[in-house]
Amino acid sequence: MYRNKINWIIWPLFVLTAVFSAWGFKQTADDNGVLNTVNVFREGAAGFAAASLEMEQAMHNLDAAQPHSVTQARDALRKCRLQYKRIEFFLDYFFFSSSLVYNRPAKTEIDEPYMEYQAPAGLQQMAVLLYDKDPVSHKKALLEEAAVISASATDLPALLYQFHTTDKAIMESIRIELVRLYANGITGYDAPELKSGIAETCQSLQTIQSVLQPWIGTSSPENIPVKNFLTRCIQYLQQHPDFDTFNRLEFLSAYALPLQEQLSKLIVALQLDQHTRSALNYNAKNLFSKDALNPAAFPDSNPATFAMKALGQQLFFEKALSGNNTRSCATCHQPEKYFSDGIKTSIAFDGKSNVRRNAPSLYYAGFQYAQFWDGRAGSLSKQIAQVISNPEEMNGVHAVVISRLRDSVRYQQAFHNAFPEQSLAPSATITMPHLAAAIAAYLYTLAPMSSAMDDYFAGNKQAMTPAQINGFNLFMGKAQCATCHFAPLFNGLTPPFYQFTEFENLGMPANDDLLHPQADKDAGRFEFFPIDFYKRAFKTPTVRNSAMTAPYMHNGVFKDLEKVMEFYNAGGGNGLGMEDPYQTLSPAKLGLNPAEIKDVIAFLHALTDRPVATHD
């Protein structure tokens, strides 16, 4: 009877899609791939609708007296997710709001600045519930989720009514999908409990193969490399399906990144280049290139001249910016310590007490949409202005600081050189906005991407040790590090668009005794946005150069990377037995053995950049 229900649903799907085709599609000579892409979506939507109905039935069958019913429900979820991957690239690019019904992250998300809540929902939330200690106890919630998904899936063809697009848009959607697969898919970001990321990535690439047929169906110098690398990627994924042992470094360097490079060349050759979204630099060679992200997409990203950066560097070490002429930015962000200070929390302005939070490294600081641990500043320049005036940090009065600098002939000339467009006297160019903008321009230069890992991806296969290579694969897979510290900067910039900075509640304790953890009283982002879901949430920093910037976490409570890994391996605070209802980190234990932990730490050392040139 249930199979008849599926047939009853699927037959109208094909009828509807045929009707919508008659209404909406007129392929022109300039858009050779549109109709094919729409047909690929139709077929995928039909498969997803059928799989969602089967999944709904599996949730109906959940029974505590029949343990195999849980296994069947999990298998049905895996199948449904695979079918969803056939249409994900299309929905996320052309109908992003609609896609949120199906694959939203399994945590409450807040749409700032409107403060609209998005509760956990969809396939990811179902995976969390099905892998809870007692999945059957969540049967009602699972049924509700499955019902919403199946009902929405049957209506997917309606999205095509009067739908119009272009070959350029299709190519951009594929560009973005490749980045999603490399940064999220193979890491298991969507459903770490299922460990289905490798199979799902394979399914997505097979869909891309179908979408590209109008351009790679015949052989030409431009498309042969794309066709070959796409086939090799799919074959490699099929031949190495195990999530925990998958060699991500080999897959990326030998197959996936070359595919990305060749696709870019094909797009240029076909004159189908367009850039309507994302902070990605489409002219970069691949996701792990030094220029993979476009600085112009981030705050304070106005083109900076050499004079502006040089001025910013001078100001970074300038003690006249402080209230007593004894402190500079470099006091707490010391270049020789990778722009951190090596202590738990920095010494305050009075020289006796300490500020509340650890001084993080400033490497890659510009590539975020929120500054400070709690994200209260929306740009580097705003952060700089606040730090200068903060009584505990530099205790400088803006007007006094500017007056001091205006008394300096050297700074008059430096500011005038940095901001020559101002038709003002040299001293008049010395303003707090210019001062902050100059330091921000300097901080943007602190993004060298010169680590051993970067050298490896640039072609030097001897740059990383076997332990570091294994550590990379663990970091990007079993250890789940890359599901919060996203490639390529390994910070909270969320792929594939890199237009949002994540905040996470790890359940951090106030002490480093993980057998007797004590609750940390720092409310984090909640102090800036008083929303319960932001309680104890902090910005996800980069782990590049983390081997050089101990101690760790917002409170500096962990003195070494071994303690950090012990904490994560235990499942964060809740995994240790603390009870934080707003912890966003999964409390599930990672199951890493001592050798694996050692290799992850070895990889973190492979993320250490060669120090940038500085002066004081």
Side-chain angles (χ1 to χ4, degrees):
M1 180 176 181
Y2 182 66
R3 191 170 299 277
N4 289 337
K5 182 180 179 183
I6 294 176
N7 292 335
W8 180 79
I9 291 292
I10 297 304
W11 173 246
L13 278 177
F14 288 108
V15 173
L16 282 170
T17 53
V19 172
F20 292 136
S21 175
W23 282 343
F25 298 108
K26 294 180 181 178
Q27 180 157 314
T28 68
D30 295 329
D31 292 306
N32 298 318
V34 173
L35 184 56
N36 175 65
T37 299
V38 169
N39 285 335
V40 170
F41 172 73
R42 285 179 181 146
E43 183 180 349
F48 177 55
S52 66
L53 285 171
E54 292 180 10
M55 182 179 69
E56 185 178 5
Q57 183 62 50
M59 302 308 143
H60 274 290
N61 295 339
L62 280 172
D63 188 338
Q66 300 182 32
H68 69 280
S69 67
V70 174
T71 301
Q72 291 174 340
R74 290 172 177 172
D75 289 342
L77 174 61
R78 286 190 186 90
K79 180 179 178 180
C80 192
R81 286 192 56 82
L82 277 175
Q83 292 298 316
Y84 177 73
K85 292 299 174 177
R86 298 173 64 188
I87 60 175
E88 180 180 46
F89 86 97
F90 189 89
L91 284 180
D92 273 21
Y93 184 87
F94 295 108
F95 301 102
F96 179 74
S97 296
S98 298
S99 72
L100 294 176
V101 173
Y102 307 111
N103 204 35
R104 189 183 307 166
K107 65 176 184 177
T108 300
E109 294 198 317
I110 301 166
D111 183 12
E112 298 180 12
Y114 308 106
M115 297 300 102
E116 294 180 357
Y117 291 62
Q118 293 182 354
L123 298 171
Q124 295 187 41
Q125 176 66 4
M126 291 183 70
V128 170
L129 298 177
L130 277 174
Y131 278 83
D132 190 35
K133 293 179 181 178
D134 184 10
V136 179
S137 67
H138 301 296
K139 181 174 180 177
K140 180 180 178 182
L142 286 163
L143 274 172
E144 290 174 351
E145 294 290 346
V148 170
I149 290 171
S150 63
S152 300
T154 59
D155 289 336
L156 280 171
L159 295 174
L160 299 176
Y161 176 60
Q162 294 187 343
F163 171 72
H164 298 281
T165 190
T166 64
D167 285 355
K168 288 184 176 182
I170 291 168
M171 285 299 195
E172 184 177 27
S173 72
I174 294 174
R175 277 188 192 272
I176 292 171
E177 179 67 5
L178 287 183
V179 171
R180 177 186 287 109
L181 299 180
Y182 302 167
N184 282 353
I186 61 175
T187 70
Y189 170 79
D190 282 6
E193 302 86 359
L194 290 173
K195 294 185 181 291
S196 55
I198 306 306
E200 292 178 10
T201 300
C202 185
Q203 178 63 78
S204 296
L205 286 173
Q206 288 173 323
T207 298
I208 289 174
Q209 191 176 51
S210 297
V211 170
L212 288 176
Q213 279 308 302
W215 298 286
I216 66 174
T218 58
S219 296
S220 70
E222 296 84 9
N223 69 34
I224 287 176
V226 174
K227 186 189 308 184
N228 289 343
F229 277 113
L230 190 49
T231 299
R232 292 172 190 171
C233 282
I234 293 169
Q235 290 175 342
Y236 189 90
L237 292 160
Q238 291 172 334
Q239 293 165 3
H240 305 85
D242 184 68
F243 182 84
D244 284 347
T245 61
F246 186 73
N247 192 329
R248 290 160 178 83
L249 190 64
E250 181 177 59
F251 172 70
L252 287 168
S253 59
Y255 305 100
L257 298 181
L259 170 61
Q260 185 183 16
E261 296 163 23
Q262 295 302 327
L263 178 66
S264 293
K265 291 179 181 179
L266 177 61
I267 290 173
V268 171
L270 295 172
Q271 297 183 333
L272 294 177
D273 207 0
Q274 79 167 24
H275 196 158
T276 64
R277 65 199 74 182
S278 88
L280 292 164
N281 174 17
Y282 292 170
N283 294 321
K285 188 176 181 182
N286 60 54
L287 179 61
F288 285 87
S289 298
K290 295 181 186 294
D291 57 348
L293 296 175
N294 180 13
F298 296 87
D300 294 317
S301 59
N302 294 328
T305 63
F306 175 82
M308 188 173 174
K309 296 172 187 176
L311 170 61
Q313 186 174 24
Q314 288 180 324
L315 291 168
F316 186 84
F317 296 94
E318 178 55 69
K319 295 180 180 179
L321 271 57
S322 66
N324 59 5
N325 286 290
T326 63
R327 294 166 68 89
S328 70
C329 303
T331 300
C332 297
H333 299 281
Q334 301 164 23
E336 65 275 15
K337 294 180 180 178
Y338 280 74
F339 292 88
S340 63
D341 61 8
I343 58 178
K344 184 177 179 180
T345 57
S346 300
I347 302 298
F349 180 81
D350 61 12
K352 301 175 183 179
S353 59
N354 294 80
V355 299
R356 295 176 61 199
R357 296 169 183 158
N358 177 261
S361 170
L362 296 181
Y363 275 92
Y364 308 96
F367 293 88
Q368 291 276 21
Y369 297 101
Q371 302 297 336
F372 292 116
W373 279 104
D374 57 14
R376 65 184 182 273
S379 67
L380 282 172
S381 60
K382 291 179 180 178
Q383 179 187 39
I384 291 161
Q386 290 183 37
V387 168
I388 290 174
S389 61
N390 188 306
E392 291 189 343
E393 295 183 89
M394 295 182 71
N395 197 33
V397 176
H398 286 184
V400 173
V401 169
I402 295 304
S403 178
R404 289 174 184 166
L405 297 180
R406 285 178 174 172
D407 288 339
S408 166
V409 175
R410 178 169 66 95
Y411 274 118
Q412 288 182 27
Q413 188 60 51
F415 271 86
H416 182 69
N417 292 341
F419 301 97
E421 76 284 355
Q422 302 293 326
S423 56
L424 302 170
S427 63
T429 63
I430 302 178
T431 65
M432 184 55 63
H434 283 171
L435 181 155
I439 296 178
Y442 168 61
L443 295 183
Y444 263 103
T445 69
L446 304 181
M449 295 186 76
S450 60
S451 69
M453 185 208 70
D454 297 307
D455 291 345
Y456 187 99
F457 279 118
N460 179 6
K461 301 310 178 190
Q462 306 305 314
M464 293 172 66
T465 67
Q468 290 171 337
I469 289 172
N470 190 47
F472 174 89
N473 290 326
L474 288 164
F475 184 99
M476 295 286 285
K478 181 180 178 181
Q480 299 181 25
C481 310
T483 61
C484 288
H485 297 278
F486 304 107
L489 296 186
F490 301 106
N491 62 6
L493 282 177
T494 56
F497 299 108
Y498 298 98
Q499 294 177 325
F500 177 73
T501 294
E502 273 201 342
F503 296 86
E504 300 283 354
N505 176 344
L506 307 176
M508 273 300 301
N511 62 328
D512 65 352
D513 182 357
L514 300 187
L515 294 178
H516 307 91
Q518 300 172 3
D520 185 56
K521 300 187 186 312
D522 192 331
R525 190 160 176 76
F526 178 81
E527 295 179 2
F528 178 57
F529 270 129
I531 298 170
D532 285 348
F533 296 108
Y534 275 152
K535 285 182 177 179
R536 296 169 294 282
F538 296 90
K539 184 178 69 174
T540 302
T542 180
V543 292
R544 282 178 174 268
N545 300 305
S546 58
M548 310 300 291
T549 56
Y552 304 103
M553 311 314 227
H554 71 272
N555 52 10
V557 74
F558 295 151
K559 66 180 183 302
D560 53 40
L561 290 172
E562 285 75 12
K563 184 63 72 172
V564 173
M565 288 302 301
E566 181 184 351
F567 173 74
Y568 279 116
N569 201 31
N574 286 349
L576 291 168
M578 301 175 71
E579 296 182 1
D580 190 333
Y582 301 109
Q583 179 173 315
T584 53
L585 178 71
S586 171
K589 300 186 186 307
L590 296 175
L592 298 174
N593 61 44
E596 290 173 327
I597 290 175
K598 186 176 180 180
D599 285 352
V600 172
I601 293 172
F603 167 64
L604 293 176
H605 280 269
L607 288 176
T608 302
D609 287 309
R610 293 183 287 276
V612 298
T614 59
H615 72 78
D616 53 25

